[in-house]
Amino acid sequence: MAAQSSSSPAQTTTTLALLLVVAAAAAAVAAEAAAVAADAARGVRQVNRRGPYLGVVVPNGFEMEPLLRSPAFSPAKKLPYLDVAGRRFRFGTIGEKKLNSGVTTQLLLTLFDVEGIVHFGIAGNADPDLHIGDVTVPRYWAHTGLWNWQRYGDGPEKELALESNGDYTRKYGALNFSDYGVAGGGGGNLLNGVWYQPEEVFPADGTPESRRHEFWVPVDGRYYQLAQKLEAMPLERCVNRTGTATSPATCLARAPAVARVERGCSASVFVDNAAYRQFLRSRLGVTPIDMESAAVALVAAQQGAPFIAIRSLSDLAGGGSAESNEAGVFAALAAQNAVAVAVKFISLLS
């Protein structure tokens, strides 16, 4: 799906071609992607003649809607859709969670002439020093949903099965469930503990079947450096700013800000648990927690594509924030701020 996005500074107008691919049923599409119909292939070639493009990957329609309403965005007029493998792709979502986001990113990079990927959306927050509405740009992403679950009775000194083969490691984690008993922990728990595991990556330009392990996947160095220019940009702090007697404005205690941070993490888990949030923060040093960014990062790493993720904080995961309503009220504000930062970043690339 080809589209154009315009940014209009005071004296100049910059037009940057964007590519958005929608996979409401990404896994099903992937199974058919090898057999792209002839007319769809012609459409893809027609789009690619205007490339290369910037790939824009968005988790869902809620997070993409502010982009579609942005004055910086205008859809392509001659190519309103592409029909790939019998499915019509329009503006929409990649589908939440790791599988959908990874499959859709792979389709994007396989079918289209893409020079880099910008991923944006909202996220939970693990850093109590940041606030709702702040927009984070991590340097590294980890997938924290790949576990090696130890047998009951085994401790951190006990080698994991197949660890000696290089398949597993005791480097990351260890989440010990007995540490979280209501009586203070330490008394043992049949769930025992888990160690987080790096993903296997097989680079597209590498030796066939030659793997490397990736836990902290870096974003593109140039993209991350460029994101420094975003840190002073103003962001929205109020929901329904105009307000009415029946629907008053709701504002954050302070104006949100953009922050480049060191680490973010993803898993197919909605984290609304303060103890687990604190574990992720203290053990791994993460700030945003989401379901998709690490999958996009891993596919980009496998394909050698430049990548960055921009995530706006909608809540302090598990509660405890000074803001009383958190995501229920401020998710839309967070999504708006994520889009504002993404659009500004895209303008800096042109």
Side-chain angles (χ1 to χ4, degrees):
M1 174 69 193
Q4 289 188 328
S5 174
S6 300
S7 174
S8 301
Q11 300 297 326
T12 63
T13 299
T14 302
T15 300
L16 182 65
L18 305 182
L19 193 67
L20 292 90
V21 170
V22 181
V29 173
E32 303 170 8
V36 178
D39 58 343
R42 286 193 295 271
V44 170
R45 288 195 297 271
Q46 185 177 355
V47 169
N48 284 338
R49 282 198 294 269
R50 303 179 184 182
Y53 294 90
L54 187 67
V56 178
V57 179
V58 192
N60 57 46
F62 171 78
E63 288 160 289
M64 188 168 64
E65 182 60 28
L67 174 63
L68 302 186
R69 291 188 280 102
S70 169
F73 176 83
S74 59
K77 297 178 180 179
K78 293 185 178 180
L79 292 167
Y81 61 80
L82 288 175
D83 194 320
V84 180
R87 297 179 186 273
R88 185 161 292 178
F89 284 59
R90 286 185 174 274
F91 296 112
T93 68
I94 63 171
E96 293 180 335
K97 305 179 182 64
K98 181 175 182 282
L99 176 62
N100 286 343
S101 53
V103 167
T104 304
T105 304
Q106 183 64 65
L107 282 172
L108 179 70
L109 292 170
T110 299
L111 293 174
F112 298 100
D113 182 8
V114 174
E115 63 183 13
I117 293 175
V118 175
H119 174 54
F120 68 84
I122 64 176
N125 175 28
D127 182 357
D129 291 333
L130 295 182
H131 294 262
I132 291 172
D134 287 348
V135 179
T136 62
V137 184
R139 185 195 298 264
Y140 298 96
W141 284 93
H143 173 220
T144 50
L146 181 57
W147 291 1
N148 184 302
W149 206 316
Q150 281 192 297
R151 295 181 181 182
Y152 176 69
D154 288 353
E157 75 289 343
K158 181 73 172 181
E159 184 177 283
L160 303 173
L162 303 180
E163 182 179 349
S164 60
N165 293 342
D167 292 324
Y168 297 104
T169 178
R170 282 171 289 160
K171 185 176 181 180
Y172 308 105
L175 173 62
N176 193 308
F177 290 95
S178 66
D179 291 342
Y180 296 90
V182 293
N189 189 305
L190 289 175
L191 292 176
N192 202 25
V194 295
W195 296 89
Y196 296 154
Q197 299 302 313
E199 291 276 6
E200 292 183 341
V201 176
F202 295 84
D205 58 355
T207 304
E209 302 308 315
S210 177
R211 69 178 179 176
R212 70 172 189 248
H213 286 99
E214 295 279 6
F215 189 76
W216 294 114
V217 182
V219 304
D220 181 74
R222 183 175 74 89
Y223 284 7
Y224 187 75
Q225 186 63 34
L226 192 62
Q228 185 175 16
K229 297 182 178 181
L230 304 169
E231 292 179 338
M233 69 177 291
L235 296 172
E236 183 58 62
R237 63 178 292 188
C238 294
V239 178
N240 188 26
R241 176 176 285 277
T242 56
T244 66
T246 57
S247 181
T250 302
C251 297
L252 296 166
R254 69 155 174 81
V258 180
R260 291 191 307 165
V261 298
E262 193 66 10
R263 296 171 176 175
C265 72
S266 310
S268 294
V269 177
F270 184 88
V271 178
D272 195 20
N273 182 278
Y276 188 56
R277 173 197 80 218
Q278 291 162 3
F279 170 83
L280 290 173
R281 179 65 185 170
S282 63
R283 192 63 58 91
L284 299 178
V286 302
T287 300
I289 307 169
D290 67 32
M291 298 184 184
E292 300 87 16
S293 296
V296 181
L298 283 160
V299 173
Q302 193 266 340
Q303 294 292 315
F307 158 81
I308 196 168
I310 295 167
R311 286 285 183 160
S312 182
L313 306 177
S314 61
D315 62 290
L316 184 64
S321 168
E323 311 295 348
S324 59
N325 294 299
E326 296 192 344
V329 168
F330 294 110
L333 174 65
Q336 179 180 340
N337 283 347
V339 167
V341 174
V343 168
K344 179 63 175 178
F345 177 80
I346 289 167
S347 74
L348 295 176
L349 287 174
S350 60

